[in-house]
């Protein structure tokens, strides 16, 4: 039998660019039951009212790009990356 505590994972999320401005913080540690980084983004999107659709976001986990559908790792360092412009 799986308990709630075994489903909960601790992640550190770093917010960058417009997401940092919207969340009014650069980093936070969250407890989550999200099974994928897609679900995790949907949670923080709802929490902070991020305007960007999932299709517009990239994710890096532990300093490497990964797919949003990848399972959430306990103690992961997560950066959701919005589109940016630059030259």
């Amino acid at each position: 039998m799986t308990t709630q505590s075994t489903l909960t994972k601790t992640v550190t999320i770093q917010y960058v660019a417009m997401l940092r401005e919207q969340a009014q913080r650069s980093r936070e540690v969250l407890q989550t039951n999200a099974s994928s980084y897609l679900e995790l983004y949907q949670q923080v999107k709802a929490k902070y009212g991020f305007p960007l659709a999932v299709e517009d976001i990239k994710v890096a986990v532990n300093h490497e790009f990964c797919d949003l559908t990848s399972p959430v790792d306990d103690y992961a360092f997560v950066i959701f990356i919005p589109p940016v412009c630059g030259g």
Side-chain angles (χ1 to χ4, degrees), residues 21 61 72:
E21 293 170 16
V61 177
V72 174

Side-chain angles (χ1 to χ4, degrees), residues 7-15 27-34 36-37 40-41 43-44 61-62 71-80:
L7 297 175
T8 301
K9 295 180 178 147
T10 301
V11 296
T12 299
I13 301 176
Q14 182 171 333
Y15 299 104
R27 184 181 291 202
E28 72 179 321
V29 177
L30 291 178
Q31 299 288 315
T32 184
N33 291 326
S36 68
Y37 294 103
L40 182 60
Y41 177 70
Q43 287 177 0
V44 294
V61 177
N62 300 326
V72 174
D73 296 319
D74 202 14
Y75 302 107
F77 180 74
V78 181
I79 304 173
F80 291 113

